[in-house]
Amino acid sequence: PAAVRSRRAEPVRKWYVGQALKSFTGLIDILPKLTEKEVMAALALEAATRRRRSIIDRLISRAVRIRELDYSRQLKEKYHGKST
């Protein structure tokens, strides 16, 4: 089986997480650039304050989408072979 790349080793870029939580507009601008780990860090911080449900919902949606894309890639590699 093909080795799965772990995202866990990636550091959290605190500036990006800060920008994501600064405002809803900041979140929308930076969200596509965040890694799964950064999304989860921002989600934990925002959920701890229980302030802005719209930001929490958007972060959850992004985390789900990142996992969906990763799972799709894994299945394609498994059943189609790794592309070069």
Coordinates of all heavy atoms in Angstrom, one line a residue:
P1 N 0.8 -1.2 0.0 CA 0.0 0.0 0.0 C 0.9 1.3 0.0 O 1.9 1.3 0.6 CB -0.8 -0.1 1.3 CG -0.3 -1.3 2.0 CD 0.6 -2.0 1.2
A2 N 0.3 2.3 -0.6 CA 1.1 3.6 -0.7 C 1.1 4.2 0.7 O 0.2 4.1 1.5 CB 0.4 4.5 -1.7
A3 N 2.2 4.9 1.0 CA 2.4 5.6 2.3 C 1.5 6.8 2.3 O 1.4 7.5 1.2 CB 3.8 5.9 2.5
V4 N 0.8 7.1 3.4 CA 0.0 8.2 3.5 C 0.8 9.3 4.1 O 1.4 9.1 5.2 CB -1.3 7.9 4.3 CG1 -2.1 9.2 4.5 CG2 -2.1 6.8 3.7
R5 N 0.8 10.5 3.5 CA 1.5 11.6 4.0 C 0.8 12.2 5.3 O -0.4 12.4 5.2 CB 1.6 12.7 3.0 CG 2.9 13.3 2.7 CD 2.9 14.3 1.6 NE 1.7 15.0 1.5 CZ 1.5 16.3 1.2 NH1 2.6 16.9 0.9 NH2 0.4 16.8 1.0
S6 N 1.5 12.3 6.3 CA 0.9 12.9 7.5 C 1.0 14.4 7.6 O 2.0 15.0 7.3 CB 1.6 12.3 8.8 OG 1.1 12.9 9.9
R7 N -0.2 15.0 7.9 CA -0.2 16.5 8.0 C 0.1 16.9 9.4 O 0.2 18.0 9.7 CB -1.6 17.0 7.7 CG -2.0 16.7 6.2 CD -3.4 17.2 6.0 NE -3.7 17.0 4.6 CZ -4.1 17.9 3.8 NH1 -4.3 19.1 4.2 NH2 -4.4 17.6 2.5
R8 N 0.2 15.9 10.3 CA 0.4 16.2 11.7 C 1.8 16.9 12.0 O 2.0 17.6 12.9 CB 0.3 15.0 12.6 CG -1.0 14.3 12.4 CD -1.3 13.4 13.6 NE -2.4 12.5 13.4 CZ -3.6 12.8 13.0 NH1 -4.0 14.0 12.8 NH2 -4.6 11.8 12.9
A9 N 2.8 16.7 11.1 CA 4.1 17.2 11.3 C 4.2 18.7 10.9 O 5.1 19.4 11.3 CB 5.1 16.4 10.5
E10 N 3.1 19.2 10.2 CA 3.1 20.6 9.8 C 2.9 21.5 11.0 O 2.1 21.3 11.8 CB 2.0 20.8 8.8 CG 2.2 20.1 7.5 CD 1.0 20.3 6.6 OE1 0.1 21.1 6.9 OE2 0.9 19.6 5.6
P11 N 3.7 22.6 11.1 CA 3.5 23.5 12.2 C 2.3 24.4 12.0 O 1.9 24.6 10.9 CB 4.8 24.3 12.2 CG 5.3 24.3 10.8 CD 4.9 22.9 10.3
V12 N 1.7 24.9 13.1 CA 0.6 25.8 13.0 C 1.2 27.2 12.8 O 2.0 27.6 13.6 CB -0.3 25.7 14.2 CG1 -1.3 26.9 14.2 CG2 -0.9 24.4 14.3
R13 N 0.8 27.8 11.7 CA 1.3 29.2 11.5 C 0.3 30.1 12.2 O -0.8 30.4 11.8 CB 1.2 29.5 10.0 CG 2.2 28.6 9.2 CD 2.0 28.7 7.7 NE 0.7 28.3 7.3 CZ 0.3 28.3 6.1 NH1 1.0 28.8 5.1 NH2 -1.0 27.9 5.8
K14 N 0.8 30.6 13.4 CA 0.0 31.4 14.3 C -0.6 32.7 13.6 O -1.7 33.1 13.9 CB 0.7 31.7 15.6 CG 1.0 30.5 16.4 CD 1.8 30.8 17.6 CE 2.1 29.5 18.3 NZ 2.9 29.7 19.5
W15 N 0.2 33.3 12.8 CA -0.3 34.5 12.1 C -1.5 34.2 11.3 O -2.5 35.0 11.3 CB 0.8 35.1 11.2 CG 0.4 36.4 10.6 CD1 0.5 37.7 11.2 CD2 -0.2 36.6 9.4 NE1 0.0 38.6 10.4 CE2 -0.4 38.0 9.2 CE3 -0.6 35.8 8.3 CZ2 -1.0 38.6 8.1 CZ3 -1.2 36.3 7.2 CH2 -1.4 37.7 7.1
Y16 N -1.5 33.1 10.6 CA -2.7 32.8 9.7 C -3.9 32.5 10.6 O -5.0 32.9 10.3 CB -2.4 31.5 8.9 CG -1.6 31.8 7.6 CD1 -0.2 32.1 7.6 CD2 -2.2 31.9 6.4 CE1 0.5 32.4 6.5 CE2 -1.5 32.1 5.2 CZ -0.2 32.4 5.3 OH 0.5 32.7 4.1
V17 N -3.7 31.8 11.7 CA -4.8 31.5 12.6 C -5.3 32.8 13.2 O -6.6 33.0 13.3 CB -4.4 30.5 13.7 CG1 -5.5 30.4 14.8 CG2 -4.0 29.2 13.2
G18 N -4.5 33.7 13.6 CA -4.9 35.0 14.1 C -5.7 35.8 13.1 O -6.7 36.4 13.4
Q19 N -5.2 35.8 11.8 CA -5.9 36.5 10.8 C -7.3 35.9 10.6 O -8.3 36.6 10.3 CB -5.1 36.5 9.5 CG -3.9 37.3 9.5 CD -4.2 38.8 9.6 OE1 -3.9 39.3 10.7 NE2 -4.9 39.4 8.7
A20 N -7.4 34.6 10.6 CA -8.7 33.9 10.4 C -9.7 34.3 11.5 O -10.9 34.4 11.2 CB -8.5 32.4 10.4
L21 N -9.2 34.5 12.7 CA -10.1 34.8 13.8 C -10.3 36.3 14.0 O -11.2 36.7 14.9 CB -9.6 34.2 15.1 CG -9.5 32.7 15.0 CD1 -9.0 32.1 16.3 CD2 -10.9 32.0 14.7
K22 N -9.6 37.2 13.3 CA -9.7 38.6 13.4 C -11.1 39.1 13.1 O -11.7 39.9 13.8 CB -8.7 39.3 12.6 CG -8.3 40.7 13.0 CD -7.2 41.2 12.1 CE -6.0 41.6 12.9 NZ -5.0 42.2 12.1
S23 N -11.7 38.7 12.0 CA -13.0 39.1 11.5 C -13.5 38.1 10.5 O -12.8 37.2 10.0 CB -12.9 40.4 10.8 OG -12.2 40.3 9.6
F24 N -14.8 38.1 10.2 CA -15.4 37.2 9.3 C -14.7 37.4 7.9 O -14.4 36.4 7.2 CB -16.9 37.4 9.2 CG -17.6 36.2 8.4 CD1 -17.7 35.0 9.0 CD2 -18.0 36.4 7.1 CE1 -18.4 34.0 8.3 CE2 -18.6 35.4 6.4 CZ -18.8 34.2 7.0
T25 N -14.5 38.6 7.5 CA -13.8 38.9 6.2 C -12.4 38.4 6.2 O -12.0 37.8 5.2 CB -13.8 40.4 6.0 OG1 -15.1 40.9 6.0 CG2 -13.2 40.8 4.6
G26 N -11.7 38.5 7.3 CA -10.4 37.9 7.4 C -10.4 36.4 7.3 O -9.5 35.8 6.6
L27 N -11.4 35.8 7.9 CA -11.5 34.4 7.7 C -11.8 33.9 6.3 O -11.1 33.0 5.8 CB -12.7 33.9 8.6 CG -13.1 32.4 8.5 CD1 -12.0 31.5 9.0 CD2 -14.4 32.1 9.1
I28 N -12.6 34.6 5.6 CA -13.0 34.2 4.2 C -11.7 34.4 3.4 O -11.4 33.6 2.5 CB -14.1 35.1 3.7 CG1 -15.4 34.9 4.5 CG2 -14.4 34.8 2.2 CD1 -15.8 33.5 4.7
D29 N -10.9 35.4 3.6 CA -9.7 35.7 2.8 C -8.6 34.6 3.0 O -8.0 34.2 2.1 CB -9.1 37.1 3.1 CG -10.0 38.2 2.6 OD1 -10.9 37.9 1.7 OD2 -9.8 39.3 3.1
I30 N -8.5 34.2 4.3 CA -7.3 33.3 4.6 C -7.7 31.8 4.6 O -6.8 31.0 4.5 CB -6.8 33.8 6.0 CG1 -5.3 33.4 6.1 CG2 -7.5 33.2 7.2 CD1 -4.4 34.3 5.5
L31 N -9.0 31.5 4.7 CA -9.4 30.1 4.9 C -8.9 29.2 3.8 O -8.4 28.1 4.2 CB -11.0 30.1 4.9 CG -11.6 28.8 5.5 CD1 -11.1 28.5 6.9 CD2 -13.1 28.9 5.4
P32 N -8.8 29.5 2.6 CA -8.2 28.6 1.6 C -6.8 28.3 1.8 O -6.3 27.3 1.3 CB -8.4 29.3 0.2 CG -9.5 30.3 0.5 CD -9.4 30.7 1.9
K33 N -6.1 29.1 2.5 CA -4.6 28.9 2.7 C -4.3 28.1 4.0 O -3.2 27.7 4.2 CB -3.9 30.3 2.9 CG -4.1 31.2 1.6 CD -3.6 32.5 1.8 CE -3.8 33.4 0.6 NZ -3.5 34.8 0.8
L34 N -5.3 27.9 4.8 CA -5.1 27.2 6.1 C -5.0 25.7 5.9 O -5.7 25.1 5.1 CB -6.2 27.4 7.1 CG -6.4 28.9 7.5 CD1 -7.6 29.0 8.5 CD2 -5.1 29.4 8.2
T35 N -4.1 25.1 6.6 CA -4.0 23.6 6.7 C -5.1 23.1 7.6 O -5.7 23.8 8.4 CB -2.6 23.1 7.2 OG1 -2.5 23.5 8.6 CG2 -1.4 23.7 6.4
E36 N -5.3 21.8 7.6 CA -6.2 21.2 8.5 C -5.9 21.4 9.9 O -6.7 21.8 10.7 CB -6.3 19.7 8.2 CG -7.3 19.0 9.1 CD -7.4 17.5 8.9 OE1 -6.6 16.9 8.2 OE2 -8.3 16.9 9.6
K37 N -4.6 21.3 10.2 CA -4.2 21.6 11.6 C -4.5 23.0 12.0 O -4.9 23.3 13.2 CB -2.7 21.3 11.7 CG -2.2 21.2 13.1 CD -0.8 20.6 13.1 CE -0.2 20.5 14.6 NZ 1.1 20.0 14.6
E38 N -4.3 24.0 11.1 CA -4.5 25.4 11.4 C -6.0 25.6 11.6 O -6.5 26.4 12.5 CB -3.9 26.3 10.3 CG -2.4 26.3 10.4 CD -1.8 26.8 9.1 OE1 -2.4 26.9 8.1 OE2 -0.5 27.0 9.2
V39 N -6.8 25.0 10.7 CA -8.3 25.1 10.9 C -8.7 24.6 12.2 O -9.5 25.2 12.9 CB -9.0 24.4 9.7 CG1 -10.5 24.3 10.0 CG2 -8.7 25.0 8.4
M40 N -8.2 23.4 12.6 CA -8.6 22.9 13.9 C -8.1 23.7 15.1 O -8.9 23.9 16.1 CB -8.0 21.4 14.0 CG -8.6 20.5 13.0 SD -10.4 20.4 12.9 CE -10.8 19.7 14.5
A41 N -7.0 24.3 15.0 CA -6.5 25.2 16.0 C -7.4 26.5 16.1 O -7.8 26.9 17.2 CB -5.1 25.7 15.7
A42 N -7.8 27.0 15.0 CA -8.7 28.2 15.0 C -10.0 27.8 15.5 O -10.6 28.6 16.3 CB -8.8 28.8 13.6
L43 N -10.5 26.6 15.2 CA -11.8 26.2 15.6 C -11.8 26.0 17.2 O -12.7 26.4 17.8 CB -12.1 24.8 14.9 CG -13.5 24.2 15.3 CD1 -14.6 25.2 15.0 CD2 -13.6 22.9 14.5
A44 N -10.7 25.4 17.7 CA -10.6 25.3 19.1 C -10.6 26.6 19.9 O -11.3 26.8 20.9 CB -9.4 24.5 19.5
L45 N -9.9 27.6 19.3 CA -9.8 28.9 19.9 C -11.2 29.6 19.9 O -11.6 30.2 20.9 CB -8.8 29.8 19.2 CG -7.3 29.4 19.5 CD1 -6.4 30.2 18.6 CD2 -7.0 29.7 21.0
E46 N -11.8 29.6 18.7 CA -13.1 30.3 18.6 C -14.2 29.6 19.4 O -15.0 30.3 20.0 CB -13.5 30.3 17.1 CG -14.6 31.2 16.8 CD -14.4 32.7 17.1 OE1 -13.3 33.2 17.1 OE2 -15.4 33.4 17.4
A47 N -14.2 28.3 19.4 CA -15.2 27.6 20.2 C -15.0 27.8 21.7 O -16.0 27.8 22.4 CB -15.1 26.1 19.9
A48 N -13.8 28.0 22.1 CA -13.5 28.3 23.6 C -14.2 29.6 24.0 O -14.6 29.7 25.2 CB -12.0 28.3 23.8
T49 N -14.3 30.6 23.1 CA -14.9 31.9 23.4 C -16.4 31.8 23.2 O -17.1 32.7 23.8 CB -14.3 33.0 22.5 OG1 -14.6 32.7 21.2 CG2 -12.8 33.1 22.7
R50 N -16.9 30.9 22.4 CA -18.3 30.8 22.1 C -18.9 32.1 21.7 O -20.1 32.4 22.0 CB -19.1 30.2 23.3 CG -18.6 28.9 23.8 CD -19.5 28.4 24.9 NE -19.0 27.1 25.3 CZ -19.5 25.9 24.9 NH1 -20.5 25.9 24.0 NH2 -19.1 24.8 25.4
R51 N -18.2 32.8 20.9 CA -18.6 34.1 20.4 C -19.4 34.1 19.1 O -20.5 34.6 19.0 CB -17.5 35.1 20.3 CG -16.8 35.5 21.6 CD -15.8 36.5 21.4 NE -14.8 36.1 20.5 CZ -13.8 36.8 20.0 NH1 -13.8 38.1 20.3 NH2 -13.0 36.3 19.1
R52 N -18.7 33.6 18.1 CA -19.2 33.8 16.7 C -19.5 32.5 16.1 O -18.7 31.8 15.5 CB -18.2 34.6 15.9 CG -17.9 36.0 16.5 CD -16.8 36.7 15.8 NE -15.5 36.0 16.1 CZ -14.3 36.5 15.7 NH1 -14.3 37.6 15.1 NH2 -13.2 35.8 16.0
R53 N -20.8 32.1 16.1 CA -21.2 30.8 15.6 C -21.0 30.8 14.1 O -20.6 29.7 13.6 CB -22.7 30.7 15.9 CG -23.2 29.3 15.5 CD -24.7 29.1 15.9 NE -25.1 27.8 15.5 CZ -25.2 26.8 16.4 NH1 -24.9 27.0 17.7 NH2 -25.7 25.6 16.0
S54 N -21.1 31.9 13.4 CA -20.9 31.9 11.9 C -19.4 31.5 11.6 O -19.1 30.8 10.6 CB -21.2 33.2 11.3 OG -20.4 34.2 11.8
I55 N -18.5 31.9 12.4 CA -17.1 31.6 12.1 C -16.8 30.1 12.5 O -16.1 29.4 11.7 CB -16.1 32.5 12.9 CG1 -16.2 33.9 12.3 CG2 -14.7 32.0 13.0 CD1 -15.2 35.0 12.8
I56 N -17.4 29.7 13.6 CA -17.3 28.3 14.0 C -17.8 27.4 12.9 O -17.2 26.4 12.4 CB -18.0 28.0 15.3 CG1 -17.2 28.7 16.4 CG2 -18.1 26.5 15.6 CD1 -17.9 28.6 17.8
D57 N -19.0 27.7 12.3 CA -19.6 26.9 11.3 C -18.8 26.9 10.0 O -18.6 25.9 9.4 CB -21.0 27.5 10.9 CG -22.0 27.2 12.0 OD1 -21.8 26.3 12.9 OD2 -23.1 27.8 12.0
R58 N -18.2 28.0 9.7 CA -17.3 28.1 8.5 C -16.1 27.3 8.7 O -15.6 26.6 7.7 CB -17.0 29.6 8.2 CG -16.3 29.8 6.9 CD -17.1 29.3 5.6 NE -18.3 30.1 5.4 CZ -18.5 30.9 4.4 NH1 -17.6 31.1 3.5 NH2 -19.6 31.6 4.3
L59 N -15.5 27.3 9.8 CA -14.3 26.5 10.1 C -14.6 25.0 10.1 O -13.8 24.2 9.6 CB -13.7 26.9 11.5 CG -13.0 28.2 11.5 CD1 -12.8 28.7 13.0 CD2 -11.7 28.2 10.8
I60 N -15.8 24.6 10.6 CA -16.2 23.2 10.6 C -16.3 22.8 9.1 O -15.9 21.7 8.7 CB -17.5 23.0 11.4 CG1 -17.2 23.1 12.9 CG2 -18.1 21.6 11.0 CD1 -18.5 23.2 13.7
S61 N -17.0 23.6 8.3 CA -17.2 23.3 6.9 C -15.8 23.1 6.2 O -15.7 22.2 5.4 CB -18.0 24.4 6.2 OG -19.3 24.4 6.7
R62 N -14.9 23.9 6.5 CA -13.6 23.8 5.8 C -12.8 22.6 6.3 O -12.2 21.9 5.5 CB -12.7 25.1 6.1 CG -11.4 25.1 5.5 CD -11.5 25.0 4.0 NE -10.1 25.0 3.4 CZ -9.8 24.4 2.2 NH1 -10.8 24.0 1.5 NH2 -8.6 24.4 1.8
A63 N -12.9 22.3 7.6 CA -12.3 21.0 8.1 C -12.8 19.8 7.4 O -12.1 18.9 7.0 CB -12.4 20.9 9.6
V64 N -14.1 19.8 7.2 CA -14.8 18.6 6.6 C -14.3 18.6 5.1 O -14.0 17.5 4.6 CB -16.3 18.8 6.7 CG1 -17.0 17.8 5.8 CG2 -16.8 18.6 8.1
R65 N -14.3 19.7 4.5 CA -13.9 19.7 3.0 C -12.4 19.2 2.9 O -12.1 18.5 1.9 CB -14.0 21.1 2.5 CG -13.6 21.2 1.0 CD -14.6 20.5 0.1 NE -14.2 20.7 -1.3 CZ -14.3 19.8 -2.2 NH1 -14.8 18.6 -2.0 NH2 -13.9 20.1 -3.4
I66 N -11.5 19.7 3.8 CA -10.1 19.2 3.7 C -10.1 17.7 3.8 O -9.4 17.0 3.1 CB -9.3 19.9 4.8 CG1 -9.1 21.4 4.4 CG2 -7.9 19.2 4.9 CD1 -8.5 22.2 5.5
R67 N -10.8 17.1 4.8 CA -10.8 15.7 5.0 C -11.4 15.0 3.7 O -10.9 13.9 3.3 CB -11.6 15.3 6.2 CG -10.9 15.6 7.5 CD -10.0 14.4 7.8 NE -9.2 14.7 9.0 CZ -9.5 14.1 10.2 NH1 -10.4 13.2 10.3 NH2 -8.7 14.4 11.2
E68 N -12.4 15.6 3.2 CA -13.1 15.0 2.0 C -12.1 14.9 0.8 O -11.9 13.9 0.2 CB -14.3 15.8 1.6 CG -14.9 15.3 0.3 CD -16.0 16.2 -0.2 OE1 -16.1 17.4 0.3 OE2 -16.8 15.8 -1.0
L69 N -11.3 16.0 0.6 CA -10.4 16.0 -0.5 C -9.2 15.0 -0.2 O -8.8 14.3 -1.2 CB -9.8 17.4 -0.6 CG -10.8 18.5 -1.1 CD1 -10.2 19.9 -1.0 CD2 -11.2 18.2 -2.5
D70 N -8.8 14.9 1.0 CA -7.7 14.0 1.4 C -8.2 12.5 1.2 O -7.4 11.7 0.6 CB -7.2 14.2 2.8 CG -6.0 13.5 3.1 OD1 -5.0 13.5 2.3 OD2 -5.9 12.9 4.2
Y71 N -9.4 12.2 1.6 CA -9.9 10.9 1.4 C -10.1 10.5 0.0 O -9.8 9.4 -0.5 CB -11.2 10.8 2.2 CG -11.8 9.4 2.3 CD1 -11.0 8.3 2.8 CD2 -13.0 9.1 1.8 CE1 -11.5 7.0 2.9 CE2 -13.6 7.8 1.9 CZ -12.8 6.8 2.4 OH -13.3 5.5 2.4
S72 N -10.6 11.5 -0.8 CA -10.7 11.3 -2.3 C -9.4 11.0 -2.9 O -9.2 10.0 -3.7 CB -11.3 12.5 -2.9 OG -11.4 12.4 -4.3
R73 N -8.3 11.7 -2.5 CA -7.0 11.5 -3.0 C -6.5 10.1 -2.7 O -5.9 9.4 -3.5 CB -6.0 12.6 -2.5 CG -4.6 12.4 -3.0 CD -3.6 13.3 -2.3 NE -3.7 13.1 -0.8 CZ -3.1 12.1 -0.2 NH1 -2.6 11.1 -0.8 NH2 -3.2 12.1 1.2
Q74 N -6.7 9.7 -1.4 CA -6.3 8.4 -1.0 C -6.9 7.3 -1.8 O -6.3 6.3 -2.2 CB -6.6 8.2 0.5 CG -5.7 9.0 1.4 CD -6.1 8.9 2.9 OE1 -6.7 7.9 3.3 NE2 -5.7 9.8 3.7
L75 N -8.3 7.4 -2.0 CA -9.0 6.4 -2.7 C -8.5 6.3 -4.2 O -8.3 5.2 -4.8 CB -10.5 6.6 -2.7 CG -11.1 6.4 -1.3 CD1 -12.6 6.8 -1.4 CD2 -11.0 4.9 -0.9
K76 N -8.3 7.4 -4.8 CA -7.8 7.5 -6.2 C -6.4 6.8 -6.3 O -6.2 6.1 -7.2 CB -7.7 8.9 -6.7 CG -9.1 9.4 -7.0 CD -9.1 10.9 -7.5 CE -10.5 11.4 -7.7 NZ -10.5 12.8 -8.1
E77 N -5.5 7.1 -5.3 CA -4.2 6.5 -5.3 C -4.3 5.0 -5.1 O -3.6 4.2 -5.8 CB -3.3 7.0 -4.2 CG -2.8 8.4 -4.5 CD -2.0 9.0 -3.3 OE1 -1.8 8.3 -2.3 OE2 -1.6 10.2 -3.5
K78 N -5.2 4.5 -4.3 CA -5.4 3.1 -4.0 C -6.0 2.4 -5.2 O -5.5 1.3 -5.6 CB -6.3 2.9 -2.8 CG -6.5 1.5 -2.4 CD -7.4 1.3 -1.2 CE -7.6 -0.1 -0.9 NZ -8.3 -0.3 0.4
Y79 N -7.0 2.9 -5.9 CA -7.7 2.2 -6.9 C -7.2 2.6 -8.3 O -7.4 1.8 -9.3 CB -9.2 2.4 -6.8 CG -9.7 1.7 -5.6 CD1 -10.0 2.5 -4.5 CD2 -9.7 0.4 -5.5 CE1 -10.5 1.9 -3.3 CE2 -10.2 -0.3 -4.3 CZ -10.6 0.5 -3.2 OH -11.0 -0.1 -2.1
H80 N -6.6 3.7 -8.5 CA -6.0 4.1 -9.8 C -4.5 4.0 -9.9 O -4.0 4.2 -11.0 CB -6.5 5.5 -10.2 CG -7.9 5.7 -10.5 ND1 -8.6 5.0 -11.4 CD2 -8.8 6.5 -9.9 CE1 -9.9 5.3 -11.4 NE2 -10.0 6.3 -10.5
G81 N -3.9 4.0 -8.8 CA -2.4 4.0 -8.7 C -2.0 5.4 -8.5 O -2.7 6.4 -8.8
K82 N -0.8 5.6 -8.0 CA -0.3 6.9 -7.7 C 0.1 7.6 -9.0 O 0.8 7.1 -9.8 CB 0.9 6.9 -6.8 CG 1.3 8.2 -6.2 CD 2.2 8.0 -5.0 CE 2.4 9.3 -4.3 NZ 3.0 9.2 -3.0
S83 N -0.5 8.8 -9.2 CA -0.1 9.6 -10.4 C 1.2 10.3 -10.3 O 1.5 10.7 -9.2 CB -1.3 10.5 -10.8 OG -1.4 11.5 -9.8
T84 N 1.9 10.5 -11.4 CA 3.2 11.2 -11.3 C 3.1 12.5 -12.1 O 2.2 12.8 -12.8 CB 4.3 10.4 -11.9 OG1 3.9 10.0 -13.2 CG2 4.6 9.2 -11.0

